[in-house]
Every structure is written in structure tokens, then in C-alpha cells.
Amino acid sequence: MQQIINFVIRNKTALLFLLLFGISLALTIQSHSFHRSKFINSANFLTGGVYETANGVTSYFNLKDENLILQKENERLKSLLYNTEKYEKDSIALDSNIINKQYRFISAHVYKNSYSTSNNYITINKGKNDGIEQDFAVITSHGIVGIIENVSSNYASVISILNSKSRVNAQLTKTDHIGSLVWNGDSPYIVQLIDISKFAELSKGDSITTGGQSTIFPKGVPIGVIEDFKLDVGGDTYTINVKLFNDMTNLGHIYVIENLDSEEIKSLQIPVNE
């Protein structure tokens, strides 16, 4: 306490000046509207800058939580998008909480990605503990990625569409002609659509999507666009080079899709012994 008193005594002139200056400044601001408005604008500018900086810092540390919220919302929206396609649209709005859903979406992240060999695989950070099993589809918000091949408790390996063993049912969006999506191992940006009838009308830039004639991918998942095409040696089918929507060399966030009706569909495809 004595130190405070000594400080006041030593600096009494300066402190008295600051007190009188503050009082005169307050009286000036209070009695003149021009000065008062300038003061308020300056105060708002300063406090606004402080709040903006503080909000930016807070937002940065909240990014992880915000990303999780966005991922869950994307799961819900994608589930609604692909599940409502199996129902006829009428005047009654579909409620995403009560319709009998066929597909379940699980968000995940890519742990490891290869794209420079002839048989490429991807590792993701979700596994059996998250409900993931073999033959589940894998996509991003841009298009298809691959199919789950092996699963451990917390991780899963994905056979990439950039794999010589990959074969995905696909179709021409414009004509609904069905073929198989394969990869010749040349470019990570281009895959091939084969077994397309010679009677199909093709144009560069036409879109390609999943055909929906398997129990893995829903119908209509984006794949890419026609880059070029040629008739095969036999002259009955086309081989089409498809430029992928996905950049398979730069994968981060992905979605795993479970077809909840797959076992029922497969049971109908088993030949019955008469």
C-alpha cells in the first residue's frame, strides 16, 4: 500500500493532468454531437476488431467440431438423396426419418492412398467397430473411389478404381447403355468404360454414372465424362476413355456406403436346384 501512495506522490502532476484531460474530453464528447459520433464510431471500430480477432481464434480451435457437424450433415443429405430414388415422387413430401432406407452412409478419412502402380489400394480410418464390412462402396462428394476389400477393427482397405482387378457397373447418363468400368493402368485421371453397344450415341463430354445393377453402388453416383472413344476390333462394342470427376491422387474425406438390401437381393440371385 505504501508503494502505491509513494507512486501517486511521485507522479501527482502527471496523474492530475490525465484526470483533468479525461474530464475535459468527456465533457467535450457529451456536449458536442459531432465529437460524440466520432468517438462512438472509433469505439465500435476498435471493439469490432477485437471481437473479430477473438472470434477468428475461437473459430480456428472449433474447426474440428465444425467439420464433424458438416460430415454428419453430408451423411444425412446423401442418405436422403440416394434413398429417395427408390420411391415414386408424388404430392406428399418424403420424410427422411420414416422412409425405409436402402443405403447407410459412414464418413471416414483416407489414411493412405496409392495411385502409381497397376493395383492400387486405399486405407481408411474406419473398420468393423464402425460397422464397415467387405464389399461396401466408397465415394467422395465428387464421385466413386472404390470398394471395401479387407476390414480390421479400426481400419479398412479399399480396392481403388485405379486397380486392374476393379470392375464397376456403369452407364451412359444420356442413353442408359450399361457397361463395365475398368482401368488400363495408364493415367490416374482416366479410366475405361467397356462393353458399350455400338448402337449407343456417344459424344465427348457426356456424363457417366454408376448403373445401379449391382448390390454395391447406388444408381447415379457420378464417375466422369467421356474424353474419347473407339470401336473395338470386333466392331460390336465401344471402349470409352472416361475423365474422372475425382482427383484420385488427392483424396481426403470419403463416404462408405452400405446397401441394407444387399443380402436380400443376393438371395434371389442364387440358382434354385429343381
Side-chain angles (χ1 to χ4, degrees), residues 127-128 131-137 148-151 256 258 263:
K128 290 180 181 178
I132 292 177
E133 297 180 10
Q134 188 180 40
D135 290 336
F136 284 8
I148 299 291
E149 185 169 71
N150 295 306
V151 185
V256 180
E258 176 187 5
E263 293 303 320

Side-chain angles (χ1 to χ4, degrees), residues 48-74:
V50 172
Y51 285 137
E52 183 178 4
T53 302
N55 183 64
V57 173
T58 303
S59 298
Y60 176 80
F61 287 106
N62 288 335
L63 280 178
K64 184 176 181 179
D65 293 336
E66 292 295 329
N67 283 336
L68 289 175
I69 293 171
L70 288 174
Q71 289 173 16
K72 293 299 181 183
E73 180 63 13
N74 282 335

Side-chain angles (χ1 to χ4, degrees), residues 12 23 25 58 61 70-71 75 82 94 106 119 142 144 157 173 185 197 200 203 207 227 240 242 253:
K12 59 183 178 180
I23 293 172
L25 182 63
T58 303
F61 287 106
L70 288 174
Q71 289 173 16
E75 286 179 24
Y82 288 109
L94 288 168
I106 307 165
N119 292 311
H142 299 294
I144 68 170
S157 65
T173 304
S197 169
S203 299
S207 61
E227 180 75 5
I240 303 170
V242 180
H253 181 72

Side-chain angles (χ1 to χ4, degrees), residues 186-234:
D186 289 343
S187 169
Y189 307 103
I190 304 291
V191 294
Q192 289 67 46
L193 181 59
I194 61 173
D195 299 331
I196 293 294
S197 169
K198 66 178 180 181
F199 299 108
E201 296 183 6
L202 304 177
S203 299
K204 182 177 180 179
D206 286 351
S207 61
I208 308 296
T209 63
T210 53
Q213 294 188 0
S214 74
T215 59
I216 299 177
F217 287 97
K219 182 178 180 180
V221 180
I223 295 176
V225 296
I226 295 178
E227 180 75 5
D228 55 56
F229 51 90
K230 65 179 180 180
L231 276 172
D232 295 328
V233 177

